[in-house]
Amino acid sequence: MWGKSLAAVLLAPPLGVALVGLLALLSGNQQRDTLPILLMFFPAWVGAMALAYHFKTALRAWLWMGGATLAGFGLIHGLKAAGLLRIAA
């Protein structure tokens, strides 16, 4: 149980940031949609924390949540490097 709790505490915030950041960057009108999407961080964070307890073992929680976090940030950076995402000024 400690392993899942530690995964929830350490991996849920960056996973929530990756999910919400990806949604904010992919929105059609960033100036209008960014704040409402960023307000969804707390529910995404709580959902990610609950997700840690869904897995059968702590190792699976760490691997899946860590992999999802890396994939999310990798996708954001890859899309930005390819020029497919722009940040509205």
Side-chain angles (χ1 to χ4, degrees), residues 14-52:
L15 182 57
V17 167
L19 293 174
V20 171
L22 191 60
L23 285 175
L25 289 172
L26 291 175
S27 72
N29 186 352
Q30 287 182 356
Q31 291 178 342
R32 182 193 69 209
D33 297 337
T34 299
L35 183 61
I37 291 172
L38 289 178
L39 290 174
M40 294 302 295
F41 168 72
F42 184 70
W45 178 22
V46 171
M49 287 180 71
L51 180 68

Side-chain angles (χ1 to χ4, degrees), residues 23-88:
L23 285 175
L25 289 172
L26 291 175
S27 72
N29 186 352
Q30 287 182 356
Q31 291 178 342
R32 182 193 69 209
D33 297 337
T34 299
L35 183 61
I37 291 172
L38 289 178
L39 290 174
M40 294 302 295
F41 168 72
F42 184 70
W45 178 22
V46 171
M49 287 180 71
L51 180 68
Y53 296 102
H54 171 73
F55 295 103
K56 192 176 262 190
T57 65
L59 179 62
R60 286 185 183 181
W62 276 93
L63 291 176
W64 278 100
M65 290 179 68
T69 301
L70 289 175
F73 282 111
L75 185 61
I76 289 171
H77 290 293
L79 289 173
K80 283 174 62 178
L84 299 173
L85 284 180
R86 297 192 140 199
I87 298 174

